[in-house]
Amino acid sequence: MEVLQDITTEILDLKKEKNATLLAHYYQESAIQDIADHVGDSLYLAQQANKTESDIIIMAGVHFMAETVKILNPDKKVLIPDANAGCSLADSCPPKDFEKFIGKYPGHCVISYINCSAEIKAMSDVICTSSNALKVINSVPEDQPIIFAPDKNLGRYLIEQTGRDLLLWEGACLVHEAFSIDKLLELHKKYPESKIIAHPESEEHILKTASYIGSTAGMIRYVKEHDNEQFIVATEAGILHAMQKEVPGTKLIPAPVSEDNTCACSECGYMKMNTLEKLYLCLKNESPSIDVDESIRLKALLPVRRMLEISK
Ligand code: 13P
Ligand code: SF4
């Protein structure tokens, strides 16, 4: 406990001394969320990254999130506690294959979910997150065909919501595809009063059971607005920390995952690569830092800026 206190104090001192801002995603371990300057979903973190004046930005999240920060802040030092903190969804869209894919469909507007590499962003017309995807799609003229990548589950959900015929890339997130529908229905029988809420990266059969579907920030907002109820939460378990803080008296139950899932819980192994100790070392050594090739960065900046503009 004392060690945790010491390292926390060291991080806070270093942050001040080096004029650094710490951004943390809701899936980070609780101790990291508790000392961050800003905690939020992908859109909120990109918005904060776009307005910070610090010399250093530490992204306690995964690689694509840190890349987005660097795309927006080429002159600042961008750090990530563990450079191997990747994303199964971003990995499901290799740039060479994607280039061939979009080459087959000229005239399409390419909308990419922010969970993708800088190379994919550079090939896109506009970026979206789960918070603003509907708004971004609705900003594209009705008669313009759209490619949506890389998440097929979010894509299918957006087709249903917008009535648009999106051409989907078949990518997915391993964490959100691990939820077990049988176990979820069993759990709901045990807590019949509970409401199921889900992140749109979850599979269609999970989304069909949900009273609310939205981004991590949207899910927290929904629970806050209905705090006299019980919830089964279908997204990464790290969200429960921030959610429970908002609604201390509300029962929150993590959605169950299938037996063959190696982790037996809904934790994202990549997000959890970041630890308090690695955060301390990364701030102390100013490493690992994130760099994005300048020609890719310039191409990726346009669709990221477009997204920020649409989300105002
Ligand atoms: P949010 O933008 O909803 O926080 O989602 C990020 C993510 O990685 C979901 O798996
Ligand atoms: Fe990527 Fe899935 Fe982890 Fe989100 S939960 S960072 S989409 S692997």
Side-chain angles (χ1 to χ4, degrees):
M1 192 66 190
E2 220 165 84
V3 178
L4 192 71
Q5 199 67 46
D6 286 353
I7 202 164
T8 300
T9 311
E10 295 270 7
I11 293 169
L12 293 173
D13 288 349
L14 277 171
K15 213 155 62 65
K16 209 170 180 183
E17 182 191 311
K18 298 191 178 214
N19 187 26
T21 292
L22 173 59
L23 303 177
H25 188 265
Y26 287 127
Y27 297 165
Q28 289 295 285
E29 66 174 57
S30 317
I32 294 182
Q33 291 190 42
D34 288 345
I35 55 167
D37 295 293
H38 305 283
V39 186
D41 67 358
S42 309
L43 175 63
Y44 178 77
L45 296 177
Q47 287 168 329
Q48 293 307 314
N50 197 35
K51 56 182 184 204
T52 180
E53 292 190 347
S54 310
D55 300 315
I56 295 178
I57 306 171
I58 315 141
M59 172 48 82
V62 290
H63 197 267
F64 77 81
M65 295 178 174
E67 266 188 345
T68 306
V69 175
K70 187 67 183 180
I71 288 166
L72 289 162
N73 296 281
D75 301 329
K76 294 189 196 299
K77 192 169 261 183
V78 177
L79 305 173
I80 184 165
D82 190 321
N84 293 318
C87 167
S88 62
L89 177 52
D91 289 347
S92 69
C93 192
K96 281 212 163 64
D97 297 345
F98 191 61
E99 191 178 13
K100 272 191 220 147
F101 178 72
I102 58 176
K104 283 197 265 175
Y105 303 100
H108 282 61
C109 172
V110 179
I111 303 181
S112 295
Y113 186 43
I114 199 162
N115 297 40
C116 65
S117 64
E119 286 91 339
I120 301 295
K121 288 185 176 74
M123 287 184 242
S124 308
D125 294 300
V126 58
I127 304 303
C128 74
T129 74
S130 44
S131 271
N132 59 17
L134 283 173
K135 217 171 171 186
V136 169
I137 291 174
N138 290 333
S139 74
V140 178
E142 282 281 348
D143 57 350
Q144 176 153 27
I146 297 174
I147 287 175
F148 185 85
D151 192 60
K152 62 177 179 190
N153 294 311
L154 173 61
R156 205 178 295 115
Y157 170 69
L158 292 169
I159 291 175
E160 194 193 293
Q161 293 295 304
T162 60
R164 302 275 294 251
D165 186 20
L166 314 179
L167 191 56
L168 302 182
W169 178 266
E170 293 281 308
C173 157
L174 289 179
V175 178
H176 287 86
E177 287 214 326
F179 294 119
S180 155
I181 186 67
D182 295 339
K183 284 190 179 181
L184 178 64
L185 295 175
E186 227 171 85
L187 186 66
H188 193 255
K189 255 193 217 157
K190 203 169 149 197
Y191 299 99
E193 302 299 316
S194 66
K195 279 196 167 136
I196 297 170
I197 57 172
H199 194 280
E201 286 172 24
S202 310
E203 289 177 282
E204 195 177 13
H205 53 232
I206 301 287
L207 296 183
K208 277 202 173 124
T209 68
S211 304
Y212 176 79
I213 297 165
S215 73
T216 50
M219 291 169 87
I220 293 177
R221 213 177 307 122
Y222 184 80
V223 165
K224 230 173 127 181
E225 285 163 6
H226 301 79
D227 67 345
N228 53 346
E229 310 192 33
Q230 295 181 346
F231 296 93
I232 299 178
V233 183
T235 193
E236 210 269 358
I239 196 176
L240 296 169
H241 177 65
M243 204 176 253
Q244 198 74 76
K245 266 192 188 170
E246 294 288 349
V247 288
T250 300
K251 187 169 180 63
L252 303 173
I253 312 157
V257 296
S258 59
E259 247 117 60
D260 49 6
N261 187 39
T262 44
C263 151
C265 67
S266 54
E267 283 200 342
C268 170
Y270 293 113
M271 283 280 182
K272 297 307 195 269
M273 280 182 179
N274 295 327
T275 60
L276 215 48
E277 194 181 354
K278 286 183 201 169
L279 172 58
Y280 163 70
L281 289 172
C282 124
L283 193 48
K284 183 168 170 263
N285 302 327
E286 299 187 17
S287 167
S289 66
I290 297 288
D291 283 305
V292 178
D293 173 88
E294 187 60 6
S295 67
I296 290 173
R297 190 192 73 80
L298 287 171
K299 284 186 201 145
L301 182 60
L302 295 173
V304 171
R305 279 218 177 120
R306 214 163 277 149
M307 170 189 84
L308 294 174
E309 202 50 47
I310 294 169
S311 311
K312 270 184 182 163

